[in-house]
Amino acid sequence: MQTVSHRARGESDINQEITSDTNPYFVIHDSKGYEAGDTSIFDELVTFIDDRVKRIELSEKIHMVWICIATPCAGSRVLEYRTEHIIKLCVENELPFLVVFTKYDELVAECFLELADSDSGSCETPEDEDEIKRMAAENAIKERHNFALNSFRSFLTFAMNTSRLIMRRL
């Protein structure tokens, strides 16, 4: 059973199917997400992927992996080792994957604080605060765009090198 929480990590069982009443062919398997220092959930995810890749029945195979990662802020790493491992596993098994950036609001808040602390970010009226919020959102978009471009250049190099190694083995 899956539960949602806005303050803590939700509960889920990756082996439990989640289906839609409107489309029973759309099936989701949700992992809890792995945290630093907790290898059991990560190991469970890898085992699930390994198992589902070997399944013969199309309805039991994985059709796409969604990888949710926190929107990186300046100076942080985009992909941690275990996320790279999951992506490598997807590439090796020819599983399509989609990276979803979460917690974008935290990047906007960081940009807002930087602007508010700067000389150009004085808030004397509500209109000033609205302008700073608008500028923070713009800066977050620019920062995310630039950071993502630079980070994903190295990520794409990693993915391409992984693909080449797999192709050499075949």
Side-chain angles (χ1 to χ4, degrees):
M1 180 173 144
Q2 284 67 25
T3 61
V4 175
S5 172
H6 296 285
R7 299 186 198 278
R9 183 168 59 176
E11 290 297 318
S12 63
D13 177 358
I14 196 166
N15 295 299
Q16 181 72 39
E17 289 184 351
I18 303 169
T19 58
S20 166
D21 293 336
T22 58
N23 185 349
Y25 299 107
F26 187 74
V27 178
I28 297 173
H29 291 268
D30 184 20
S31 74
K32 286 184 184 178
Y34 42 87
E35 303 290 332
D38 183 357
T39 60
S40 63
I41 295 169
F42 176 75
D43 294 342
E44 182 180 6
L45 176 59
V46 170
T47 300
F48 180 83
I49 292 172
D50 285 339
D51 175 59
R52 290 298 175 126
V53 165
K54 296 172 188 166
R55 301 270 177 111
I56 295 174
E57 204 53 48
L58 183 61
S59 65
E60 295 180 1
K61 288 188 159 292
I62 296 174
H63 300 115
M64 178 174 280
V65 175
W66 291 58
I67 301 169
C68 299
I69 59 175
T71 299
C73 295
S76 66
R77 190 179 155 133
V78 174
L79 299 173
E80 66 149 32
Y81 166 76
R82 290 183 290 184
T83 303
E84 288 177 356
H85 182 84
I86 294 298
I87 291 170
K88 185 176 178 181
L89 194 59
C90 290
V91 171
E92 287 172 350
N93 290 290
E94 299 180 1
L95 285 173
F97 64 91
L98 175 74
V99 177
V100 178
F101 288 105
T102 63
K103 300 182 182 178
Y104 177 69
D105 56 322
E106 291 179 14
L107 177 61
V108 173
E110 183 178 304
C111 290
F112 177 80
L113 290 174
E114 287 173 7
L115 281 170
D117 288 344
S118 72
D119 290 337
S120 62
S122 61
C123 284
E124 295 178 8
T125 68
E127 291 80 20
D128 291 342
E129 186 173 341
D130 289 343
E131 179 63 14
I132 291 174
K133 286 179 182 176
R134 187 192 62 72
M135 290 170 54
E138 284 180 10
N139 287 355
I141 290 169
K142 288 177 191 172
E143 185 175 323
R144 180 189 65 176
H145 178 76
N146 292 335
F147 188 74
L149 278 179
N150 293 333
S151 300
F152 274 98
R153 281 190 187 109
S154 61
F155 165 71
L156 289 173
T157 302
F158 160 78
M160 293 303 294
N161 288 338
T162 301
S163 298
R164 285 189 195 112
L165 288 172
I166 293 165
M167 296 306 279
R168 282 189 211 141
R169 281 189 257 157
L170 299 176

